[in-house]
Amino acid sequence: MSPRRPAPSAPSPPASLRVVDAGGSSRRFVLPGEHGVVIGTAPHCEVRLDDAYVSRRHASVGRSGDRFLVDDLGSANGTTLNGRRLHGQEQLRPGDVIGVGRTRLTFACPPGGAPVRPRDPERRTAALVAVGAGLAAAGALTTYRWVGLIAGLIILTVGVRCAALNKVFKHGVGRKGAKDKVSGKTKKVTNFTVYTKMYEANRAKLDRDKDGIACEKR
């Protein structure tokens, strides 16, 4: 009796983008392995969007070896990656969310298709702060307002460090009417961002002088 041959393994699914517009409609775009694609509103764009806030040639996603890279193409409103502004090319990893206008594109890649790169935890926290702030603030304006609002508030409840928070809110966050507590001739911080939900989520660890402002910075 001849030995049984192992069954051939199923081919891995190709890398793709899940495109979700402002109304919640979604579609899947398979990324070609041999060339990059352009995201925009122009007729010749491979990923063509119907979004008034997207430029004709807004952003690109392409492959370089075993990596996929995203880049902004000089768009009017910029491109974000996981909630933070994109400056130059960056490598994509599974689950990354590209933001162009009011459209979100989630990158999916089979195991082995793109190596997982280490993330700077502080940078990732800053991105979460930005995403949470945006979702909480914009939640009431979208069709799925409660989903956006709840998701935003969940992210806001994650404690962050001042270094990460100050990347998004340069002079700190506080509740309305708060006044910076200082001693001597030290100048008070008055240009902090009034953001009660963000402050309440982090005041226990980040408002050390209990003055109603977290991570105040001059």
Side-chain angles (χ1 to χ4, degrees):
M1 184 176 179
S2 59
R4 183 178 297 177
R5 293 182 178 179
S9 57
S12 298
S16 63
L17 295 172
R18 180 171 175 266
V19 184
V20 181
D21 62 26
S25 299
S26 67
R27 58 189 169 96
R28 180 171 173 263
F29 180 87
V30 176
L31 292 168
E34 65 278 6
H35 62 83
V37 299
V38 175
I39 303 165
T41 59
H44 62 268
C45 290
E46 288 83 0
V47 185
R48 188 179 180 189
L49 304 177
D50 182 14
D51 187 327
Y53 297 91
V54 172
S55 299
R56 287 175 59 79
R57 287 172 51 83
H58 196 108
S60 67
V61 174
R63 188 161 190 160
S64 176
D66 58 358
R67 303 180 304 156
F68 283 89
L69 306 174
V70 60
D71 195 10
D72 182 77
L73 298 178
S75 63
N77 294 318
T79 301
T80 62
L81 181 61
N82 299 325
R84 59 180 175 79
R85 191 71 175 249
L86 191 66
H87 299 286
Q89 284 189 333
E90 288 207 30
Q91 182 182 338
L92 290 169
R93 63 178 289 173
D96 278 351
V97 179
I98 304 167
V100 294
R102 300 175 66 191
T103 304
R104 298 294 175 264
L105 305 94
T106 303
F107 176 69
C109 187
V116 176
R117 67 188 187 284
R119 281 261 173 93
D120 178 354
E122 191 170 282
R123 188 176 181 181
R124 185 167 181 263
T125 303
L128 283 175
V129 173
V131 172
L135 285 171
L141 303 179
T142 65
T143 303
Y144 302 96
R145 55 186 179 278
W146 293 114
V147 174
L149 183 58
I150 293 171
L153 292 178
I154 289 174
I155 294 174
L156 294 184
T157 60
V158 179
V160 299
R161 290 185 294 174
C162 280
L165 189 142
N166 287 140
K167 289 182 179 180
V168 181
F169 305 102
K170 185 176 180 180
H171 301 288
V173 295
R175 58 188 176 215
K176 188 176 181 180
K179 295 183 179 180
D180 187 21
K181 186 186 295 183
V182 298
S183 58
K185 296 182 179 180
T186 304
K187 189 176 180 180
K188 294 184 179 181
V189 175
T190 58
N191 52 349
F192 62 89
T193 301
V194 177
Y195 198 158
T196 303
K197 288 186 177 66
M198 179 66 73
Y199 168 75
E200 292 295 337
N202 295 282
R203 67 172 180 172
K205 294 183 178 180
L206 304 183
D207 184 9
R208 296 177 181 177
D209 54 3
K210 309 301 179 185
D211 61 356
I213 310 170
C215 302
E216 55 265 49
K217 184 178 180 183
R218 290 160 188 83

